Amino acid sequence: MSRVPLHTASTAPAASQPLLAQVQGAFGATPNMFRAVANSPAALQLMWAGFGALGGGSLPAKLGEQVAVAIADRNRCEYCLAAHTALGRKAGASASEMAEAQAGRSADPQTAAALAFALKVVEHRAAVTAADVQELRNAGFSDEAVVELLAHVALNLFTNYINVALAVPVDFPKVALRQAA
């Protein structure tokens, strides 16, 4: 059970209502995560704008979803794992690609480099080295893409923390966590 109310368009604070309408229009439903975040219009605006900005960025949607499932598994966020697995499939990833990404792996060297970097950022609280950044460049990432990858990590940490801390009920097809507690 969620630790905060899961708002609808009619129960949300007035400033959250137009954003929830945009979410509803984009998804055809209003996922529970957005319903929980709607308790704070500022947080909802930040989250929705972040997804919109990164959705129009230089990194492919498939890669963004692969990074999201790796981080979700590492942070034990069942909500984000389920949501981003479904979104990754919609972005063209196979079930096996998403399962491999969840484990932080990929047969594609560039994707593998991005996953390794993202997980290192999470595990080491961003204390990465110049060599870590150079490995991304060597894999073909521009400086723009490096910064954008860090933005994906930050947005996923935000959503993971929201869902775990507030016990947001999963409303996407469930996916089992791989990592032990």
Side-chain angles (χ1 to χ4, degrees):
M1 176 175 216
S2 179
R3 296 178 179 138
V4 296
L6 298 178
H7 284 291
T8 64
S10 61
T11 65
S16 290
Q17 291 176 5
L19 294 169
L20 284 179
Q22 290 176 27
V23 170
Q24 171 75 30
F27 285 95
T30 306
N32 285 339
M33 176 182 72
F34 293 101
R35 295 177 61 207
V37 176
N39 283 280
S40 166
L44 182 59
Q45 182 178 5
L46 173 67
M47 182 181 283
W48 189 238
F51 281 124
L54 292 176
S58 66
L59 296 181
K62 178 179 165 182
L63 178 59
E65 301 304 337
Q66 289 170 300
V67 166
V69 298
I71 294 170
D73 193 74
R74 194 58 43 103
N75 287 325
R76 305 197 55 74
C77 182
E78 294 180 70
Y79 191 97
C80 288
L81 180 57
H84 290 289
T85 296
L87 292 169
R89 294 299 309 276
K90 188 175 178 181
S94 69
S96 65
E97 285 176 312
M98 292 309 291
E100 284 295 294
Q102 180 183 345
R105 299 185 300 254
S106 175
D108 173 66
Q110 190 173 42
T111 300
L115 293 171
F117 181 81
L119 289 173
K120 191 166 194 178
V121 169
V122 170
E123 291 166 3
H124 298 283
R125 297 182 183 177
V128 295
T129 66
D132 295 322
V133 174
Q134 188 58 49
E135 284 180 32
L136 283 177
R137 289 187 184 116
N138 293 346
F141 288 95
S142 66
D143 290 340
E144 174 187 8
V146 171
V147 173
E148 196 171 307
L149 181 56
L150 285 164
H152 274 273
V153 171
L155 181 58
N156 281 286
L157 289 173
F158 174 40
T159 61
N160 288 183
Y161 290 0
I162 287 284
N163 290 305
V164 172
L166 299 179
V168 176
V170 178
D171 53 354
F172 288 87
K174 290 197 179 193
V175 176
L177 292 165
R178 293 177 56 103
Q179 183 175 321

